[in-house]
Amino acid sequence: MKIIEKYILGDVKKPIIFGVSLFTFIFLIEIIVSLMENIIVKGISLIDVLRILSFYLPPILSQTIPMGVFLGVMITFSKFTRTSEVTAMSSIGMSLKDILKPIIILASVITLFIFFLQESIIPRSFRKLEEISIKIAYENPVFQLKERILIDEVEEYNLYIDNIERKTDEANNVLIFQKDDKSNYPTILLGNKAYWKDVNMVLEESKFYTFNQDGTLKIEGEFSQKKIPLSSYFQEMNIEVKDIEAMPIKKLFNSLKEKTEKEKIPFLVEINRKIAIPLSTIVLAILGVVLSVGHHRSGKGTSFGISLGIIFTYIVCLNVGMVMANKGVVSPYVGVWLPNLLLVSGTLLIYRRKSGGAR
Protein backbone atom coordinates (compact mmCIF):
# COMPACT_ATOMS: atom_id res chain seq x y z
CA MET A 1 0.00 0.00 0.00
CA LYS A 2 1.31 3.45 -0.92
CA ILE A 3 2.33 5.88 1.80
CA ILE A 4 -0.35 8.35 0.67
CA GLU A 5 -3.03 5.66 0.99
CA LYS A 6 -1.85 4.84 4.52
CA TYR A 7 -1.95 8.55 5.30
CA ILE A 8 -5.57 8.83 4.10
CA LEU A 9 -6.63 5.78 6.11
CA GLY A 10 -4.83 7.05 9.19
CA ASP A 11 -6.47 10.47 8.95
CA VAL A 12 -10.01 9.17 8.34
CA LYS A 13 -9.99 6.73 11.26
CA LYS A 14 -10.73 9.17 14.12
CA PRO A 15 -13.49 11.11 12.28
CA ILE A 16 -15.24 7.81 11.45
CA ILE A 17 -15.07 6.72 15.10
CA PHE A 18 -16.46 10.13 16.06
CA GLY A 19 -19.28 9.84 13.51
CA VAL A 20 -20.25 6.31 14.55
CA SER A 21 -20.15 7.29 18.24
CA LEU A 22 -22.27 10.38 17.62
CA PHE A 23 -25.02 8.62 15.69
CA THR A 24 -24.97 5.64 18.07
CA PHE A 25 -25.43 7.98 21.04
CA ILE A 26 -28.36 9.67 19.29
CA PHE A 27 -30.01 6.29 18.72
CA LEU A 28 -29.32 5.27 22.33
CA ILE A 29 -30.77 8.38 24.00
CA GLU A 30 -34.31 7.01 24.26
CA ILE A 31 -33.05 3.66 25.55
CA ILE A 32 -30.76 5.36 28.10
CA VAL A 33 -33.66 7.47 29.43
CA SER A 34 -35.80 4.35 29.77
CA LEU A 35 -33.01 2.47 31.56
CA MET A 36 -32.43 5.39 33.93
CA GLU A 37 -36.12 5.19 34.82
CA ASN A 38 -35.66 1.48 35.56
CA ILE A 39 -32.74 2.28 37.87
CA ILE A 40 -34.52 5.04 39.76
CA VAL A 41 -38.11 3.76 39.84
CA LYS A 42 -37.90 -0.01 39.53
CA GLY A 43 -34.63 -0.66 41.30
CA ILE A 44 -32.82 -2.61 38.58
CA SER A 45 -29.11 -2.84 39.37
CA LEU A 46 -26.66 -0.64 37.48
CA ILE A 47 -24.73 -3.71 36.33
CA ASP A 48 -27.86 -5.20 34.73
CA VAL A 49 -28.62 -1.87 33.06
CA LEU A 50 -25.12 -1.70 31.58
CA ARG A 51 -25.45 -5.28 30.35
CA ILE A 52 -28.80 -4.46 28.71
CA LEU A 53 -27.24 -1.41 27.09
CA SER A 54 -24.34 -3.48 25.72
CA PHE A 55 -26.78 -5.95 24.15
CA TYR A 56 -28.63 -3.09 22.44
CA LEU A 57 -25.40 -1.83 20.84
CA PRO A 58 -24.86 -4.39 18.02
CA PRO A 59 -28.25 -3.87 16.30
CA ILE A 60 -27.84 -0.10 16.63
CA LEU A 61 -24.27 -0.20 15.30
CA SER A 62 -25.41 -2.10 12.20
CA GLN A 63 -27.44 1.02 11.33
CA THR A 64 -25.15 3.79 12.57
CA ILE A 65 -21.82 2.55 11.15
CA PRO A 66 -22.71 3.52 7.53
CA MET A 67 -23.81 6.95 8.78
CA GLY A 68 -20.62 7.40 10.80
CA VAL A 69 -18.46 6.37 7.87
CA PHE A 70 -20.17 8.96 5.66
CA LEU A 71 -19.72 11.76 8.21
CA GLY A 72 -16.12 10.77 8.97
CA VAL A 73 -15.14 10.69 5.31
CA MET A 74 -16.76 14.08 4.66
CA ILE A 75 -14.97 15.67 7.62
CA THR A 76 -11.62 14.21 6.55
CA PHE A 77 -11.79 15.19 2.89
CA SER A 78 -13.23 18.62 3.66
CA LYS A 79 -10.10 19.17 5.74
CA PHE A 80 -7.92 17.84 2.91
CA THR A 81 -9.55 20.33 0.54
CA ARG A 82 -9.21 23.30 2.93
CA THR A 83 -5.53 22.55 3.54
CA SER A 84 -4.90 21.98 -0.20
CA GLU A 85 -3.83 18.39 0.43
CA VAL A 86 -6.19 17.25 -2.32
CA THR A 87 -4.43 19.68 -4.68
CA ALA A 88 -1.09 18.21 -3.63
CA MET A 89 -2.39 14.70 -4.32
CA SER A 90 -3.49 15.80 -7.79
CA SER A 91 -0.11 17.42 -8.44
CA ILE A 92 1.70 14.11 -7.90
CA GLY A 93 -0.55 12.44 -10.47
CA MET A 94 -3.33 11.01 -8.29
CA SER A 95 -6.74 10.95 -9.95
CA LEU A 96 -10.03 10.96 -8.06
CA LYS A 97 -10.13 7.21 -8.63
CA ASP A 98 -6.74 6.84 -6.91
CA ILE A 99 -7.89 8.96 -3.98
CA LEU A 100 -11.02 6.83 -3.64
CA LYS A 101 -9.15 3.52 -3.63
CA PRO A 102 -8.21 3.36 0.10
CA ILE A 103 -11.67 4.62 1.09
CA ILE A 104 -13.37 1.91 -0.98
CA ILE A 105 -11.13 -0.74 0.58
CA LEU A 106 -11.90 0.54 4.07
CA ALA A 107 -15.65 0.76 3.37
CA SER A 108 -15.62 -2.80 1.98
CA VAL A 109 -13.97 -4.13 5.15
CA ILE A 110 -16.49 -2.24 7.29
CA THR A 111 -19.33 -3.66 5.17
CA LEU A 112 -18.10 -7.20 5.87
CA PHE A 113 -17.96 -6.34 9.56
CA ILE A 114 -21.62 -5.18 9.49
CA PHE A 115 -22.61 -8.46 7.85
CA PHE A 116 -20.73 -10.27 10.64
CA LEU A 117 -22.67 -8.24 13.21
CA GLN A 118 -25.98 -9.12 11.59
CA GLU A 119 -25.30 -12.79 11.11
CA SER A 120 -23.46 -13.64 14.31
CA ILE A 121 -23.49 -10.99 17.03
CA ILE A 122 -27.00 -9.50 16.78
CA PRO A 123 -28.92 -12.81 17.16
CA ARG A 124 -26.87 -13.54 20.28
CA SER A 125 -27.50 -10.03 21.60
CA PHE A 126 -31.27 -10.42 21.24
CA ARG A 127 -31.11 -13.76 23.03
CA LYS A 128 -29.03 -12.27 25.84
CA LEU A 129 -31.52 -9.40 26.15
CA GLU A 130 -34.37 -11.85 26.69
CA GLU A 131 -32.31 -13.94 29.09
CA ILE A 132 -31.40 -10.95 31.24
CA SER A 133 -35.04 -9.82 31.19
CA ILE A 134 -36.03 -13.21 32.61
CA LYS A 135 -33.23 -12.95 35.18
CA ILE A 136 -34.59 -9.59 36.33
CA ALA A 137 -38.10 -11.04 36.43
CA TYR A 138 -36.92 -13.92 38.62
CA GLU A 139 -35.13 -11.57 40.98
CA ASN A 140 -38.07 -9.17 41.15
CA PRO A 141 -41.31 -10.73 39.89
CA VAL A 142 -43.26 -7.54 40.57
CA PHE A 143 -42.16 -6.29 37.13
CA GLN A 144 -44.24 -9.02 35.50
CA LEU A 145 -47.29 -8.64 37.75
CA LYS A 146 -49.77 -5.89 36.95
CA GLU A 147 -52.34 -4.13 39.09
CA ARG A 148 -56.07 -4.85 38.76
CA ILE A 149 -55.58 -7.53 36.11
CA LEU A 150 -56.42 -11.19 36.68
CA ILE A 151 -53.33 -13.26 35.93
CA ASP A 152 -54.17 -16.83 34.99
CA GLU A 153 -50.80 -17.89 33.55
CA VAL A 154 -49.50 -19.41 36.79
CA GLU A 155 -49.93 -23.18 36.81
CA GLU A 156 -51.77 -23.60 40.13
CA TYR A 157 -53.03 -20.10 40.84
CA ASN A 158 -55.03 -17.18 39.50
CA LEU A 159 -53.80 -13.87 40.89
CA TYR A 160 -55.42 -10.48 41.32
CA ILE A 161 -53.51 -7.58 42.87
CA ASP A 162 -55.30 -4.36 43.74
CA ASN A 163 -52.24 -2.17 44.30
CA ILE A 164 -48.44 -2.43 44.14
CA GLU A 165 -46.20 0.00 46.01
CA ARG A 166 -43.36 0.49 43.54
CA LYS A 167 -41.02 2.00 46.13
CA THR A 168 -41.22 -1.00 48.44
CA ASP A 169 -42.35 -3.65 45.92
CA GLU A 170 -45.16 -4.62 48.30
CA ALA A 171 -48.64 -5.57 47.13
CA ASN A 172 -51.88 -4.63 48.90
CA ASN A 173 -55.22 -6.48 48.80
CA VAL A 174 -54.21 -9.67 47.03
CA LEU A 175 -56.81 -12.20 45.87
CA ILE A 176 -55.63 -15.70 44.90
CA PHE A 177 -57.62 -18.64 43.55
CA GLN A 178 -55.74 -21.87 44.22
CA LYS A 179 -56.85 -24.47 41.67
CA ASP A 180 -57.83 -27.96 42.82
CA ASP A 181 -58.41 -30.79 40.32
CA LYS A 182 -60.41 -32.72 42.94
CA SER A 183 -62.91 -29.92 43.53
CA ASN A 184 -65.14 -27.79 41.34
CA TYR A 185 -64.27 -24.79 43.45
CA PRO A 186 -60.82 -23.31 44.12
CA THR A 187 -59.44 -22.40 47.50
CA ILE A 188 -59.64 -18.64 47.95
CA LEU A 189 -56.78 -16.77 49.60
CA LEU A 190 -57.13 -13.15 50.70
CA GLY A 191 -54.04 -11.23 51.77
CA ASN A 192 -53.80 -7.70 53.06
CA LYS A 193 -50.13 -7.47 52.15
CA ALA A 194 -47.61 -9.42 50.11
CA TYR A 195 -43.94 -9.16 49.24
CA TRP A 196 -41.57 -11.10 46.98
CA LYS A 197 -38.70 -13.35 47.95
CA ASP A 198 -36.82 -15.14 45.14
CA VAL A 199 -39.71 -16.29 42.93
CA ASN A 200 -42.24 -16.64 45.74
CA MET A 201 -45.03 -14.31 46.74
CA VAL A 202 -45.22 -14.19 50.52
CA LEU A 203 -48.70 -13.36 51.87
CA GLU A 204 -49.08 -11.82 55.31
CA GLU A 205 -52.18 -11.41 57.49
CA SER A 206 -54.25 -13.59 55.22
CA LYS A 207 -57.42 -15.65 55.24
CA PHE A 208 -58.36 -18.77 53.30
CA TYR A 209 -61.66 -20.37 52.32
CA THR A 210 -62.30 -23.88 51.00
CA PHE A 211 -65.61 -25.18 49.61
CA ASN A 212 -67.56 -28.39 49.36
CA GLN A 213 -68.57 -29.92 46.02
CA ASP A 214 -71.92 -28.17 46.25
CA GLY A 215 -70.27 -24.76 46.72
CA THR A 216 -70.97 -24.37 50.44
CA LEU A 217 -68.21 -23.12 52.72
CA LYS A 218 -66.12 -26.01 54.08
CA ILE A 219 -63.25 -24.45 56.01
CA GLU A 220 -62.41 -20.87 56.91
CA GLY A 221 -59.11 -19.94 58.52
CA GLU A 222 -56.30 -17.45 58.94
CA PHE A 223 -52.52 -17.60 58.73
CA SER A 224 -49.78 -15.09 59.42
CA GLN A 225 -47.63 -16.02 56.41
CA LYS A 226 -47.92 -18.21 53.29
CA LYS A 227 -45.61 -18.65 50.29
CA ILE A 228 -47.08 -18.75 46.80
CA PRO A 229 -44.51 -20.10 44.26
CA LEU A 230 -44.42 -18.23 40.96
CA SER A 231 -41.56 -20.16 39.32
CA SER A 232 -43.86 -21.85 36.80
CA TYR A 233 -45.08 -18.45 35.65
CA PHE A 234 -41.55 -17.36 34.71
CA GLN A 235 -40.45 -20.74 33.36
CA GLU A 236 -43.15 -20.41 30.72
CA MET A 237 -41.57 -17.25 29.35
CA ASN A 238 -40.14 -18.26 25.97
CA ILE A 239 -36.59 -17.04 25.37
CA GLU A 240 -36.52 -18.08 21.72
CA VAL A 241 -35.82 -15.11 19.46
CA LYS A 242 -38.92 -14.65 17.32
CA ASP A 243 -38.39 -11.11 16.07
CA ILE A 244 -37.35 -11.31 12.42
CA GLU A 245 -34.96 -8.41 12.96
CA ALA A 246 -32.90 -10.73 15.16
CA MET A 247 -32.75 -13.53 12.60
CA PRO A 248 -29.68 -14.01 10.38
CA ILE A 249 -30.26 -13.99 6.63
CA LYS A 250 -29.94 -17.78 6.33
CA LYS A 251 -32.65 -18.32 8.94
CA LEU A 252 -34.87 -15.77 7.22
CA PHE A 253 -34.54 -17.66 3.93
CA ASN A 254 -35.37 -20.94 5.68
CA SER A 255 -38.44 -19.28 7.24
CA LEU A 256 -39.85 -18.58 3.78
CA LYS A 257 -40.65 -22.26 3.28
CA GLU A 258 -44.29 -23.28 3.57
CA LYS A 259 -45.47 -19.66 3.81
CA THR A 260 -48.04 -17.94 1.65
CA GLU A 261 -47.02 -15.06 -0.61
CA LYS A 262 -48.48 -12.57 1.85
CA GLU A 263 -46.68 -14.15 4.81
CA LYS A 264 -43.38 -14.01 2.93
CA ILE A 265 -43.44 -10.21 2.51
CA PRO A 266 -42.01 -9.16 5.93
CA PHE A 267 -39.28 -11.79 5.63
CA LEU A 268 -38.33 -10.62 2.13
CA VAL A 269 -38.29 -7.00 3.32
CA GLU A 270 -35.97 -7.90 6.20
CA ILE A 271 -33.66 -10.00 3.99
CA ASN A 272 -33.26 -7.12 1.54
CA ARG A 273 -32.78 -4.60 4.36
CA LYS A 274 -30.00 -6.70 5.87
CA ILE A 275 -28.20 -6.64 2.52
CA ALA A 276 -28.98 -3.08 1.42
CA ILE A 277 -27.90 -1.21 4.57
CA PRO A 278 -24.39 -2.73 4.84
CA LEU A 279 -23.78 -2.18 1.10
CA SER A 280 -24.83 1.45 1.49
CA THR A 281 -21.60 1.94 3.48
CA ILE A 282 -19.51 1.72 0.30
CA VAL A 283 -21.76 4.11 -1.63
CA LEU A 284 -21.90 6.61 1.25
CA ALA A 285 -18.12 6.51 1.65
CA ILE A 286 -17.61 7.29 -2.05
CA LEU A 287 -20.28 10.00 -1.91
CA GLY A 288 -18.56 11.56 1.11
CA VAL A 289 -15.34 11.90 -0.87
CA VAL A 290 -16.83 13.26 -4.10
CA LEU A 291 -19.01 15.75 -2.22
CA SER A 292 -16.07 17.10 -0.20
CA VAL A 293 -13.37 17.30 -2.85
CA GLY A 294 -13.21 20.76 -4.44
CA HIS A 295 -15.34 22.66 -1.88
CA HIS A 296 -12.70 24.87 -0.25
CA ARG A 297 -15.16 26.68 2.00
CA SER A 298 -16.74 23.61 3.50
CA GLY A 299 -15.82 23.13 7.16
CA LYS A 300 -16.84 20.62 9.79
CA GLY A 301 -20.17 22.38 10.28
CA THR A 302 -21.00 22.27 6.60
CA SER A 303 -19.93 18.63 6.33
CA PHE A 304 -22.01 17.76 9.36
CA GLY A 305 -25.08 19.56 7.96
CA ILE A 306 -24.79 17.92 4.53
CA SER A 307 -24.27 14.51 6.16
CA LEU A 308 -27.35 14.87 8.35
CA GLY A 309 -29.45 16.00 5.39
CA ILE A 310 -28.44 13.09 3.16
CA ILE A 311 -28.67 10.50 5.94
CA PHE A 312 -32.07 11.79 7.07
CA THR A 313 -33.34 11.62 3.48
CA TYR A 314 -31.96 8.09 3.06
CA ILE A 315 -33.53 6.86 6.33
CA VAL A 316 -36.90 8.41 5.50
CA CYS A 317 -36.92 6.91 1.99
CA LEU A 318 -35.86 3.50 3.34
CA ASN A 319 -38.51 3.48 6.07
CA VAL A 320 -41.24 4.67 3.71
CA GLY A 321 -40.21 2.02 1.19
CA MET A 322 -40.26 -0.71 3.85
CA VAL A 323 -43.70 0.34 5.09
CA MET A 324 -45.07 0.35 1.54
CA ALA A 325 -43.46 -3.03 0.86
CA ASN A 326 -44.88 -4.56 4.05
CA LYS A 327 -48.34 -3.33 3.06
CA GLY A 328 -47.96 -4.82 -0.40
CA VAL A 329 -48.08 -1.47 -2.20
CA VAL A 330 -44.68 -2.06 -3.82
CA SER A 331 -42.36 -5.03 -4.19
CA PRO A 332 -39.98 -5.65 -1.24
CA TYR A 333 -37.09 -5.28 -3.69
CA VAL A 334 -38.30 -1.90 -4.93
CA GLY A 335 -39.19 -0.61 -1.46
CA VAL A 336 -35.83 -1.48 0.09
CA TRP A 337 -33.42 -0.98 -2.81
CA LEU A 338 -34.77 2.27 -4.31
CA PRO A 339 -32.98 4.51 -1.70
CA ASN A 340 -29.71 2.71 -2.48
CA LEU A 341 -30.26 3.14 -6.21
CA LEU A 342 -30.86 6.86 -5.68
CA LEU A 343 -27.62 7.07 -3.68
CA VAL A 344 -25.71 5.25 -6.41
CA SER A 345 -27.18 7.48 -9.14
CA GLY A 346 -26.34 10.68 -7.27
CA THR A 347 -22.84 9.45 -6.46
CA LEU A 348 -22.13 8.49 -10.09
CA LEU A 349 -23.41 11.85 -11.32
CA ILE A 350 -21.14 13.83 -8.96
CA TYR A 351 -18.20 11.49 -9.60
CA ARG A 352 -18.40 12.02 -13.37
CA ARG A 353 -18.41 15.78 -12.89
CA LYS A 354 -15.27 15.70 -10.75
CA SER A 355 -13.41 12.76 -12.23
CA GLY A 356 -11.44 15.06 -14.48
CA GLY A 357 -9.18 15.73 -11.52
CA ALA A 358 -9.36 16.33 -7.79
CA ARG A 359 -9.34 20.08 -7.35
Side-chain angles (χ1 to χ4, degrees):
M1 184 177 288
K2 297 179 182 179
I3 294 176
I4 191 67
E5 292 176 353
K6 290 182 180 179
Y7 174 75
I8 292 172
L9 291 177
D11 242 39
V12 80
K13 182 168 57 178
K14 288 183 180 179
I16 286 177
I17 293 173
F18 165 75
V20 173
S21 301
L22 176 66
F23 288 116
T24 300
F25 177 74
I26 292 172
F27 275 60
L28 279 173
I29 287 176
E30 184 178 353
I31 297 172
I32 291 172
V33 171
S34 175
L35 292 178
M36 290 302 295
E37 179 184 351
N38 287 329
I39 294 175
I40 298 170
V41 178
K42 298 181 179 179
I44 297 177
S45 71
L46 180 60
I47 293 176
D48 283 338
V49 168
L50 292 175
R51 288 183 64 196
I52 291 171
L53 200 60
S54 69
F55 297 141
Y56 270 115
L57 274 177
I60 290 176
L61 282 173
S62 67
Q63 301 177 65
T64 58
I65 287 176
M67 305 176 189
V69 169
F70 180 49
L71 177 59
V73 168
M74 283 208 65
I75 290 174
T76 302
F77 279 85
S78 293
K79 186 200 79 171
F80 286 168
T81 299
R82 291 196 313 274
T83 57
S84 299
E85 289 176 81
V86 170
T87 304
M89 292 176 192
S90 298
S91 66
I92 62 172
M94 289 185 71
S95 64
L96 184 55
K97 183 179 179 181
D98 296 326
I99 295 172
L100 281 170
K101 182 181 175 182
I103 296 300
I104 293 174
I105 293 172
L106 177 63
S108 299
V109 172
I110 292 173
T111 298
L112 292 176
F113 175 71
I114 298 174
F115 278 121
F116 171 73
L117 275 180
Q118 291 183 162
E119 298 304 294
S120 180
I121 304 300
I122 292 176
R124 297 177 189 177
S125 296
F126 272 81
R127 179 171 291 278
K128 291 293 184 181
L129 269 174
E130 295 202 2
E131 286 178 355
I132 196 171
S133 298
I134 292 174
K135 172 184 174 290
I136 292 171
Y138 265 96
E139 292 177 349
N140 198 348
V142 70
F143 296 148
Q144 301 295 327
L145 302 176
K146 298 180 180 180
E147 299 174 339
R148 299 179 184 178
I149 293 178
L150 183 66
I151 300 171
D152 59 359
E153 299 171 10
V154 184
E155 185 177 352
E156 299 179 7
Y157 304 93
N158 290 339
L159 308 176
Y160 179 86
I161 300 172
D162 183 57
N163 174 258
I164 297 175
E165 295 291 340
R166 296 296 175 181
K167 292 183 179 180
T168 60
D169 289 341
E170 290 185 351
N172 299 315
N173 302 323
V174 179
L175 172 63
I176 299 176
F177 300 95
Q178 186 174 359
K179 304 168 188 176
D180 187 354
D181 294 336
K182 297 180 181 179
S183 175
N184 295 327
Y185 299 92
T187 298
I188 296 177
L189 306 172
L190 295 173
N192 292 328
K193 291 184 179 180
Y195 64 91
W196 283 265
K197 185 176 182 181
D198 297 325
V199 287
N200 296 309
M201 175 187 285
V202 181
L203 292 176
E204 291 189 335
E205 304 173 16
S206 303
K207 297 179 180 180
F208 69 91
Y209 305 88
T210 61
F211 301 88
N212 296 309
Q213 292 293 343
D214 60 359
T216 58
L217 183 64
K218 181 180 180 181
I219 301 175
E220 176 181 353
E222 298 181 2
F223 48 82
S224 59
Q225 190 177 88
K226 180 176 176 60
K227 288 185 178 181
I228 307 296
L230 301 178
S231 57
S232 60
Y233 175 58
F234 298 104
Q235 287 170 354
E236 290 176 0
M237 295 177 65
N238 190 357
I239 64 172
E240 181 182 356
V241 177
K242 293 181 179 179
D243 193 337
I244 61 174
E245 293 182 11
M247 294 182 184
I249 294 174
K250 183 179 179 180
K251 190 172 181 180
L252 286 167
F253 271 115
N254 291 336
S255 300
L256 292 174
K257 300 175 182 178
E258 299 180 357
K259 280 186 166 49
T260 64
E261 291 302 316
K262 187 175 181 180
E263 291 172 338
K264 288 180 180 179
I265 290 176
F267 291 88
L268 289 173
V269 170
E270 188 61 24
I271 289 170
N272 284 280
R273 187 189 73 86
K274 285 182 179 292
I275 299 173
I277 290 181
L279 291 179
S280 71
T281 306
I282 299 174
V283 183
L284 286 169
I286 296 171
L287 181 61
V289 175
V290 298
L291 276 176
S292 304
V293 168
H295 293 283
H296 293 274
R297 295 183 180 180
S298 61
K300 287 185 179 180
T302 304
S303 299
F304 185 71
I306 294 172
S307 299
L308 281 183
I310 292 175
I311 288 167
F312 176 77
T313 303
Y314 175 75
I315 292 174
V316 169
C317 291
L318 180 62
N319 287 332
V320 170
M322 289 175 62
V323 170
M324 294 177 68
N326 279 313
K327 290 186 176 181
V329 178
V330 297
S331 163
Y333 305 99
V334 174
V336 176
W337 285 100
L338 183 59
N340 277 38
L341 292 175
L342 292 174
L343 273 181
V344 171
S345 300
T347 302
L348 285 174
L349 181 63
I350 299 172
Y351 174 80
R352 286 172 181 172
R353 288 181 178 178
K354 296 188 177 183
S355 59
R359 294 185 292 272

